[in-house]
Amino acid sequence: MQTPLNLIVDVGNSFVKTAVFTKGELVVKKISTHERLLTTIDELLINFPEISQGIISSVARVDQGVVRQLQSLLDLFILDHTAKLPFKNDYRTPQTLGIDRIALVAAAAVKYPSRHALIIDAGTCITYDFKNKENTYLGGAIAPGIKLRYRSLNDFTANLPLLRQQNPKDIVGDSTDNAIHSGVIYGVQHEIDGIILEYCHTYPDLIVILSGGDAEFLSKRLKNTIFANSDFLLEGLNHLLAFNKSQ
């Protein structure tokens, strides 16, 4: 008898991540544009015919035709604010909580149920989400991500160029380009380190997980002890699928 596989679809602001899990383990992951989503999923379904169910999470608008086609191909769970959660949610406006943040907290709740956990997701935005050792989610913070900071300097000024992110050569920028790199990257670095320290003052046994598209880039620059896991959101979605199907 073949082991059933789960299809995970995470539709972000910039890209779509699709993954296949079995028994809680990541088998394969693909990153595609929104336009190639169906093509990518078709390829996965051909390569993994054991896929029987899936979950889709979206922070961007998804073509409903894509959703309907997925529903015709497998047992699809659409993540929304009515989903059952493996943690207590004390967010004051739960209906406004991003489902990507819900998935990240779910991963922490399952993996570290008895630990204070701060989950930092470094993508288009940098989100900070905290759940305590009682597995209660309390909230967090939202800040502009690296690419947003570069883009805003170009969008809201007359003469500053739009640059691709890179590590600054020095904290002292000796040209406009180098000054932008210094301002953006050191700014993000010290913001994250500072927020971690603020949490550690109150929760000294805190575990910190860094995820998202810029996790690898940032993990090499941060002073605090962190666990970098760029697949943490996908793991959370897989946990949510299993949790809701078991209820």
Side-chain angles (χ1 to χ4, degrees):
M1 182 178 176
Q2 293 177 321
T3 303
L5 302 178
N6 293 339
L7 177 68
I8 312 300
V9 182
D10 169 35
V11 183
N13 289 300
S14 302
F15 299 99
V16 181
K17 289 183 181 179
T18 50
V20 176
F21 277 79
T22 181
K23 296 181 178 179
E25 297 296 325
L26 179 64
V27 177
V28 66
K29 177 181 75 173
K30 292 184 177 294
I31 299 176
S32 67
T33 62
H34 290 76
E35 292 75 20
R36 282 190 53 82
L37 172 58
L38 268 182
T39 301
T40 302
I41 291 173
D42 283 341
E43 292 170 355
L44 287 173
L45 292 176
I46 290 170
N47 293 328
F48 299 95
E50 305 93 338
I51 293 174
S52 58
Q53 62 183 10
I55 183 171
I56 184 168
S57 161
S58 174
V59 297
R61 182 167 296 182
V62 182
D63 186 333
Q64 287 306 300
V66 172
V67 174
R68 285 192 294 271
Q69 186 160 345
L70 274 176
Q71 289 173 319
S72 71
L73 296 171
L74 69 158
D75 181 11
L76 184 68
F77 180 73
I78 301 172
L79 181 61
D80 60 24
H81 296 96
T82 65
K84 296 178 178 64
L85 306 176
F87 58 89
K88 182 184 177 186
N89 189 357
D90 270 2
Y91 204 59
R92 192 166 59 84
T93 56
Q95 71 280 1
T96 69
L97 180 62
I99 52 177
D100 52 336
R101 298 171 70 190
I102 290 173
L104 290 166
V105 178
V110 172
K111 197 164 187 176
Y112 308 106
S114 302
R115 294 285 303 273
H116 296 306
L118 176 65
I119 311 99
I120 303 170
D121 187 60
T124 302
C125 293
I126 300 174
T127 57
Y128 303 83
D129 290 291
F130 175 74
K131 72 113 194 140
N132 63 23
K133 63 183 179 182
E134 285 78 35
N135 245 0
T136 299
Y137 173 66
L138 301 181
I142 304 172
I146 292 176
K147 292 181 181 65
L148 269 180
R149 298 182 196 216
Y150 277 111
R151 195 180 305 153
S152 67
L153 289 174
N154 174 250
D155 285 349
F156 296 105
T157 65
N159 298 311
L160 293 180
L162 177 61
L163 304 179
R164 290 179 177 273
Q165 75 182 58
Q166 68 178 51
N167 278 308
K169 297 176 182 178
D170 195 281
I171 194 167
V172 181
D174 59 2
S175 68
T176 296
D177 284 11
N178 288 337
I180 290 173
H181 291 310
S182 177
V184 171
I185 303 304
Y186 278 107
V188 169
Q189 172 188 330
H190 289 293
E191 172 193 302
I192 294 175
D193 273 327
I195 288 178
I196 292 172
L197 285 176
E198 287 289 334
Y199 273 92
C200 286
H201 289 324
T202 307
Y203 307 99
D205 59 342
L206 183 74
I207 186 168
V208 181
I209 304 103
L210 178 65
S211 188
D214 289 323
E216 185 176 352
F217 176 84
L218 288 169
S219 64
K220 300 168 185 176
R221 303 189 59 90
L222 298 175
K223 295 178 181 178
N224 291 281
T225 300
I226 60 169
F227 293 95
N229 183 347
S230 60
D231 299 324
F232 206 60
L233 193 149
L234 295 173
E235 292 176 13
L237 289 173
N238 189 57
H239 289 313
L240 284 167
L241 176 60
F243 188 77
N244 280 270
K245 290 297 182 181
S246 66
Q247 299 300 301

